[in-house]
Amino acid sequence: MTFEHITLNNQKVVGIQNVNNVLSMRDVKSANSVPVIQNTGSQGLVTLIDGSFTGGSSLVSAIENDAGGLFARNIVATGYKSAIKNKGSVISGQSISEFYSFQDEPLYKYSLFDTPKKSLNLAVQETPEVPWDPLDQWVNVKDYGADGSGRKDFDNTPAVQKAIDEADKLGKTTLYFPKGQYAFGDTIRIHGSIRRVYFMMFGVGAVNSEANKFGDGRPLIAIEEGIHPTLMIEGVGRPFGTGATVGLKTLFKHVSSKTLVLKNLGGIYENVPGSGPVFFEDMQSCGIFHSTKVWMRQLDPEACTRLPTPPVDPKILNDGSDVWILGIKTERSAVIVETKNGGRTEVLGGLIYPVELVPSDKPAFVSRDSSHSLSFVIKADQAAASHQIIVEETRTGQTKQLMKSQVPPRGNGVMVPLYVG
């Protein structure tokens, strides 16, 4: 569960009580005398950055962590006995720059090389807002001949491209797809005056394989230059029909300098070096990020693990970028994030749930001459359904592995409040 910009007032017992779940939170404010957060049970993980707590009682701590995992950063608790009570011990101080549980237990490792044991603390940007324009600025793709009935023998590309081009001539800003199922045979180019593409949770598919042009790797949607600095694309539903994505490997290709916001979507994203920053919100998406800035909130990169075939592996490839992730949940056996070529990746809380047997040589996270800080758990219904290699890290030709036995257990899985590499 991912929470951001949460305010708690007038609770009588506790603000948030977490019982063995996984919470990722940023910017939590509280005006209470009772504890703000209680993390009860041994399997819960709370990851919290930027907490401001006022009105506290001197009899209790603001955050009470019983036996589970906790990563906290930039916490100020006014009036409380302390900011954190961990496993029955009060951690002195009403402000905490950074704290993670299990750090004093010698059996466990939280880095493989000589690394400062602090998170990357990457700069955070809020997701840009794109205004909702009046309805006379909206363009309906069906007015230009698009067919949302789900026909796999009808290519909607010409009609949709005509709608985009005509919208640009008229200076209109919103392109929308009435809810339905639309098949495509070639790339749609988003450009000009469009600053919002609203799919209304449509189903996307490729026309019959002999009629589409996606076999050479071209994307379904290319984000090109336009007159507005930010483009919002939202509301793409699941693929539809047998062989829905035959030949289609990339859904979004970012080839412009504009900022891109992807929200409530599924599909595979890739950019070209030099493209603008990208924001993900509530995305069931995998991504390849080349030399850019990325902020991701509530990420679930699992829908792309089996489609296309072969599966996407790694699910997130950070190639020389800054990638910030608040809350991740995913399934299936694959590398979750690979960071290379000097990239920096910060994962702030998440649940890795393979739901299948994981090859013994498959790491969960990989870093190659790069930097990452990670907070997460692995859930496994049986021992072999967990990654045995938690992190694989290479520096200047030397490769080391963090094994499952070297981090705190969580049932058949693991608990990692913080890893730094």
Side-chain angles (χ1 to χ4, degrees):
M1 298 182 181
T2 304
F3 299 91
E4 193 174 25
H5 309 309
I6 298 296
T7 299
L8 305 168
N9 288 312
N10 301 319
Q11 278 75 40
K12 302 302 183 185
V13 178
V14 62
I16 296 174
Q17 187 179 71
N18 180 50
V19 184
N20 289 325
N21 214 318
V22 180
L23 307 187
S24 304
M25 295 184 285
R26 171 180 175 257
D27 184 26
V28 177
K29 295 179 174 64
S30 173
N32 275 309
S33 61
V34 299
V36 182
I37 298 170
Q38 288 178 342
N39 187 33
T40 66
S42 62
Q43 298 197 16
L45 172 65
V46 171
T47 301
L48 170 63
I49 63 172
D50 302 335
S52 177
F53 311 142
T54 61
S57 165
S58 61
L59 300 177
V60 297
S61 298
I63 301 172
E64 298 179 344
N65 181 50
D66 288 351
L70 172 66
F71 174 75
R73 185 176 73 204
N74 188 26
I75 308 299
V76 177
T78 304
Y80 286 96
K81 178 187 293 187
S82 71
I84 295 174
K85 181 179 179 181
N86 183 61
K87 299 181 181 178
S89 298
V90 174
I91 308 300
S92 62
Q94 292 183 318
S95 64
I96 295 290
S97 59
E98 188 162 302
F99 173 87
Y100 63 97
S101 57
F102 299 100
Q103 59 182 289
D104 296 325
E105 299 188 23
L107 294 178
Y108 306 130
K109 298 181 67 173
Y110 295 95
S111 61
L112 291 168
F113 291 86
D114 186 14
T115 302
K117 293 178 177 55
K118 290 186 177 181
S119 64
L120 289 179
N121 199 5
L122 296 180
V124 182
Q125 286 192 17
E126 303 296 340
T127 303
E129 295 290 338
V130 175
W132 288 96
D133 291 315
L135 292 180
D136 61 7
Q137 295 297 305
W138 290 39
V139 173
N140 183 343
V141 297
K142 286 191 173 181
D143 290 344
Y144 293 86
D147 185 330
S149 65
R151 290 173 54 188
K152 295 302 294 291
D153 61 346
F154 184 87
D155 184 2
N156 281 280
T157 309
V160 172
Q161 193 63 56
K162 184 178 179 181
I164 295 168
D165 297 343
E166 288 297 314
D168 184 36
K169 291 178 183 178
L170 297 170
K172 296 193 174 185
T173 57
T174 299
L175 181 80
Y176 79 98
F177 291 71
K179 188 173 181 180
Q181 296 179 329
Y182 298 82
F184 297 90
D186 204 350
T187 299
I188 307 163
R189 299 169 39 251
I190 308 294
H191 65 91
S193 62
I194 297 295
R195 66 177 175 186
R196 183 187 297 274
V197 181
Y198 190 24
F199 285 110
M200 296 183 170
M201 299 311 294
F202 85 143
V204 60
V207 297
N208 298 324
S209 58
E210 64 273 10
N212 77 58
K213 299 179 181 179
F214 298 122
D216 62 1
R218 68 184 68 187
L220 174 61
I221 299 171
I223 294 92
E224 300 182 349
E225 296 295 349
I227 64 174
H228 297 289
T230 301
L231 172 68
M232 167 85 77
I233 303 178
E234 59 181 320
V236 176
R238 289 181 174 272
F240 73 93
T242 303
T245 56
V246 171
L248 180 59
K249 293 183 171 57
T250 302
L251 192 60
F252 307 101
K253 187 69 172 285
H254 193 179
V255 297
S256 75
S257 59
K258 67 172 54 184
T259 298
L260 177 63
V261 179
L262 299 175
K263 188 173 182 178
N264 305 327
L265 301 170
I268 302 171
Y269 167 95
E270 185 174 6
N271 75 312
V272 298
S275 65
V278 61
F279 294 80
F280 281 28
E281 280 202 359
D282 191 26
M283 290 284 289
Q284 197 174 42
S285 180
C286 295
I288 302 171
F289 303 100
H290 303 285
S291 304
T292 190
K293 301 284 188 181
V294 184
W295 290 270
M296 311 169 90
R297 293 158 164 91
Q298 190 160 282
L299 175 68
D300 184 6
E302 67 183 56
C304 46
T305 305
R306 290 297 179 87
L307 288 173
T309 302
V312 175
D313 195 351
K315 299 181 180 189
I316 301 295
L317 177 60
N318 176 357
D319 182 4
S321 298
D322 277 1
V323 175
W324 180 89
I325 303 173
L326 178 68
I328 185 172
K329 179 265 176 184
T330 189
E331 299 180 6
R332 304 301 179 189
S333 171
V335 174
I336 311 305
V337 183
E338 178 179 337
T339 308
K340 65 179 186 178
N341 292 329
R344 300 189 299 173
T345 298
E346 184 164 38
V347 175
L348 293 163
L351 173 70
I352 311 304
Y353 187 23
V355 303
E356 61 189 4
L357 301 183
V358 180
S360 60
D361 60 350
K362 177 73 67 177
F365 295 89
V366 174
S367 176
R368 307 191 189 284
D369 294 307
S370 298
S371 302
H372 56 183
S373 59
L374 314 169
S375 176
F376 64 97
V377 304
I378 296 178
K379 173 179 170 59
D381 298 320
Q382 53 180 302
S386 171
H387 292 269
Q388 305 304 306
I389 304 171
I390 308 305
V391 178
E392 181 175 279
E393 188 170 333
T394 301
R395 290 194 190 181
T396 60
Q398 183 181 12
T399 298
K400 295 183 180 181
Q401 294 177 332
L402 179 71
M403 306 303 295
K404 180 181 176 183
S405 60
Q406 295 175 300
V407 296
R410 184 183 189 267
N412 289 310
V414 300
M415 168 84 68
V416 182
L418 180 66
Y419 172 87
V420 181

